[in-house]
């Protein structure tokens, strides 16, 4: 059931009606049933994977809690008799026990993910290695069906057990409620990857119908549909045509195709998130923001602070910090400072941690070398920013560049968009090889005069579609700009008179209904008709 | 649920404004079919017939549309009739056209197009024809029933897009013209009452094996038969007489005739098949002058059939002659208009009538 389908719309309306009509204490049950119904309709029997993750992570939390209880109990009743050293031992024992429990859960869940999503990738690489080494062994590959949203709910659940392990949250005592936390239907397909501390209580609490909230939620859904259906889906055909048949395109066209893909993936992904957040908001549940106008980013690191925030913050909290703050990293830092000097040596462990983090970010997107390259590509830029920061500051001082002025920031924004779009070659091309060939062709088949050739710049799109696209992107830009300077459009709109407000809503709905790309298309030839 | 009265009013009002606009824009976006195939005005004009003013309902496909003339039957016999026709009409549509008609009319006779029995029923391939039949219908249970029949036989179509065709035709925004917006406020009236007289002529000949193609078999389509039967049974339940009719066409066969006859016998109905050579010579139908293509009569063929049929219907079913009744004045006005229309197209009204009388 796609977010933009009529069936999904009807499903949501039905769920909302039931949600607000049942006694409040059963509201969470409605959400749980709706979430599993949604999962069952979309993924059918693969629901067992969702159940597996739910049960294993719930009991991991449970056992982690038990371990703590046991430790606390021992300390409590023997507080007077235990020596300091004995207490230390008990604490270490508890820690080790918890580590083992945590590790089991992590291995189990990432194991499932690894087998389903990455098994063929690893096997394929091993087979290639074997054949390169003339070893006559071929490991068979399997076609796995990917359970819907597995990358999202696995990371969300693992985040939960790590938080319990770290003592940041108490383990959940109710497996049914916890199942809702893992499966909440608006976010299961594409996130945001929520934190237990932020989401769970909101899901379990009761919520009354609130007109203003419903209105804001509906607006968010509309905005998401607009981005998805008017912009992203309109770009889809041209983008696929470029990435599937880049040989037929001029250098500049391939690059434009990559920029278009950047825009498509942003509008599609953030649009989906807006729909998810809108649905949740109507029910009184605030989902974390996942995007903060990434096309206003002034550097790659700024971009990642604005792009898929729930994933990058997950990676930061659960991979980057543990790695860079680990005892090993501290030790490595000491050594590297001796060898590489103060600046580079201090950064070296961070660099390694960052590299690993972005490697994981890359692989999270999918099992392919192109995603590895995509992760590294981003990691390298972010590290370069940190590494060259003193140098850049020096240059700025020397040439009296003020990095805070508009023109300089605009330049940085444009450069960032270009770099991000080049990154898209890796994430969207069929393979790493194709991505490299596309990059090569972009440069090799680049002709300056193409920049002046309207026909080339049209990318084979219908001019009318281009007008709609330009108009829609302009709206996207203006809304983004207003948000950047801190103006909340929704609140401003809410202050206007009814006629104006309604006109805006009606215009928004009909621009989606008319200009949205959906349905089976209209073939005038099969409809034998004529103008009159 | 805590919701204030004022908020409910707001939601309802907003919904109403939205639905109103959606309905209007749907009308604007419905593709405008080529004149003779366009069921829009014919379907809409049926709603404008005075209540209980139609004695005979012809329900069927294009062969009725080109082969029958209600105004001529009025002129000759004082019969009030209406053609509920649409291109390649499926019996599913026919059935609901009838149930819808029975809300406002109490016909004494319903005449069904036998050709519809053999209408294939691929709802996706025939979508344009279904759309053309249904889009102009008022929002009603009947419309919804046809749409849900289609939706249940299709992967891609849904009922809501039949309620609000904008959802189906939205991609026409690229080609929509200002005229289409203007046209959405104009309510044309089909004074021909469903007929479409064609003034072109393709000179044809009856083939040597006319109606008797070797190896020809005829099997009614399953759902077509089902809904055909439902239509007949509905009429019989409402004490409305039913007749089956075939307008001559060069591709008609004895096998098909036999299949229709069998059904007629099953329900005790009259089946009048004008395709038979003896009928053709009786009414003086001429393949060289009276067809516009091999399956459709032109205006000359249509008047020959209509004049003969009018008399037959009146004698067989005892239909009243309404020519002197009050409340039927518009028929004479429209007949006059038809005469003018014919003369504009180079035919004198008289010659048409006389050609029918041979």
């Amino acid at each position: 059931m796609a977010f933009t389908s009529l069936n999904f719309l009807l499903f949501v309306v039905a769920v909302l009606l039931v949600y607000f009509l049942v006694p409040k204490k059963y509201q969470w049950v409605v959400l749980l049933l709706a979430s599993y119904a949604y999962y069952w309709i979309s993924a059918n029997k693969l629901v067992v994977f969702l159940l597996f993750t739910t049960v294993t992570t719930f009991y991991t939390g449970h056992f982690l809690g038990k371990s703590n209880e046991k430790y606390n109990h021992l300390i409590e009743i023997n507080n007077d008799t235990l020596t300091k050293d004995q207490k230390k031992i008990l604490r270490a024992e508890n820690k080790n026990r918890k580590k083992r429990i945590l590790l089991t859960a992590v291995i189990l869940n990432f194991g499932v993910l690894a087998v389903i999503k990455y098994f063929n990738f690893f096997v394929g690489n091993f087979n290639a290695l074997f054949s390169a080494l003339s070893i006559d062994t071929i490991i068979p590959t399997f076609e796995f069906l990917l359970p819907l949203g597995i990358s999202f709910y696995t990371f969300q659940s693992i985040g939960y057990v790590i938080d319990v392990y770290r003592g940041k949250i108490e383990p959940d005592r109710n497996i049914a409620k916890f199942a809702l936390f893992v499966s909440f239907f608006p976010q299961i397909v594409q996130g945001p990857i929520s934190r237990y501390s932020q989401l769970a209580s909101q899901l379990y609490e009761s919520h009354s119908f609130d007109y203003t909230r419903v209105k804001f939620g509906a607006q968010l859904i509309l905005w998401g549909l607009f981005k998805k259906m008017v912009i992203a889906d309109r770009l889809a055909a041209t983008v696929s045509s470029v990435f599937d048949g880049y040989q037929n395109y001029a250098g500049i066209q391939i690059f434009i195709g990559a920029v278009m893909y950047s825009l498509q993936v942003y509008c599609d992904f953030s649009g989906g998130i807006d729909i998810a957040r809108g649905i949740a908001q109507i029910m009184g549940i605030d989902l974390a923001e996942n995007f903060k106008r990434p096309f206003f980013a002034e550097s790659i690191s700024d971009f990642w602070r604005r792009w898929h925030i729930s994933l990058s913050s997950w990676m930061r909290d659960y991979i980057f910090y543990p790695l860079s703050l680990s005892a090993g990293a501290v030790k490595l830092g000491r050594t590297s400072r001796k060898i590489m000097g103060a600046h580079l040596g201090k950064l070296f462990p961070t660099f390694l941690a960052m590299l690993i983090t972005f490697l994981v970010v890359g692989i999270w997107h999918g099992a392919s070398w192109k995603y590895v390259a995509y992760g590294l590509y981003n990691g390298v830029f972010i590290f370069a920013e940190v590494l060259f920061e003193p140098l850049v500051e020096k240059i700025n001082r020397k040439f009296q560049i003020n990095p805070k002025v508009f023109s300089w920031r605009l330049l940085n924004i444009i450069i960032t968009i270009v770099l991000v779009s080049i990154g898209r070659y890796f994430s969207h091309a069929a393979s790493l090889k194709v991505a490299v060939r596309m990059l090569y062709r972009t440069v090799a088949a680049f002709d300056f005069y193409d920049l002046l050739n309207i026909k080339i710049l049209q990318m084979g799109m219908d001019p009318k579609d281009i007008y709609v696209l330009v108009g829609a992107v302009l709206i996207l830009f203006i809304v983004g700009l207003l948000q950047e300077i801190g103006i909340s459009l929704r609140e401003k709109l809410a202050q206007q008179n009814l006629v104006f407000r309604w006109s805006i809503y009606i215009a928004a709905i009909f621009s989606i209904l008319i200009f949205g790309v959906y349905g089976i298309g209209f073939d005038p030839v099969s409809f034998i008709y004529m103008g009159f | 649920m805590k919701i204030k009265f004022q908020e409910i009013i707001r939601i309802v009002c907003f919904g109403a404004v939205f639905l109103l606009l959606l309905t209007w824009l749907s009308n604007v976006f419905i593709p405008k079919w080529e004149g003779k195939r366009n069921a829009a005005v014919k379907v809409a004009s049926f709603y404008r017939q005075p209540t209980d003013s139609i004695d005979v309902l012809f329900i069927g496909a294009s062969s009725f549309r080109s082969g029958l003339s209600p105004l001529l039957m009025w002129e000759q016999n004082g019969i009030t009739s209406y053609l509920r026709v649409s291109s390649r009409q499926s019996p599913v549509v026919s059935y609901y056209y009838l149930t819808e008609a029975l809300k406002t009319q109490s016909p004494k006779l319903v005449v069904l197009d036998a050709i519809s029995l053999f209408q294939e029923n691929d709802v996706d391939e025939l979508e344009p024809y279904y759309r053309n039949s249904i889009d102009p219908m008022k929002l009603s249970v009947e419309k919804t029933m046809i749409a849900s029949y289609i939706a249940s036989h299709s992967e891609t179509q849904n009922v809501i897009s039949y309620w609000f065709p904008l959802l189906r035709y939205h991609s026409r925004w690229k080609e929509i013209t200002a005229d289409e917006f203007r046209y959405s406020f104009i309510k044309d009236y089909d004074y021909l009452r469903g007929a479409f007289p064609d003034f072109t002529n393709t000179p044809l000949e009856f083939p040597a094996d006319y109606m008797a193609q070797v190896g020809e078999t005829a099997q009614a389509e399953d759902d077509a038969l089902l809904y055909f039967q439902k239509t007949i049974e509905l009429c019989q339940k409402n004490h409305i007489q039913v007749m089956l009719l075939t307008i001559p066409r060069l591709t008609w066969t004895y096998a098909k005739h036999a299949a229709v006859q069998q059904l007629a016998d099953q329900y005790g109905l009259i089946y009048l098949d004008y395709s038979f050579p003896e009928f053709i010579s009786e009414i003086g139908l001429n393949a060289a002058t009276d067809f516009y293509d091999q399956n459709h009569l032109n205006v000359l063929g249509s008047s020959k059939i209509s004049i003969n049929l009018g008399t037959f219907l009146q004698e067989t079913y005892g239909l009243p002659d309404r020519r002197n009744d009050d409340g039927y004045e518009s028929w004479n006005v429209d007949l006059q208009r038809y005469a003018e229309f014919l003369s504009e197209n180079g035919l004198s009204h008289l010659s048409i009538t006389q050609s029918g009388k041979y």
Side-chain angles (χ1 to χ4, degrees), chain A residues 356-378:
Chain A
I356 294 169
T357 309
F358 269 94
L359 205 64
V360 178
V361 169
I363 293 173
W364 179 90
H365 284 84
S368 165
W369 284 109
K370 65 174 186 174
Y371 290 117
V372 174
Y374 175 64
L376 292 180
Y377 173 86
N378 283 287

Side-chain angles (χ1 to χ4, degrees), chain B residues 283-320:
Chain B
I283 60 175
L285 201 68
N286 184 344
T289 56
D290 298 343
F291 284 83
Y292 81 77
D293 67 21
Q294 59 174 352
N295 286 326
H296 299 93
L297 298 179
N298 63 16
V299 64
L300 293 177
S302 155
S303 26
K304 288 175 186 175
I305 294 280
S306 301
I307 289 166
N308 187 287
L309 181 65
T311 308
F312 175 82
L313 294 182
Q314 197 153 49
E315 284 169 2
T316 313
Y317 295 100
L319 299 170

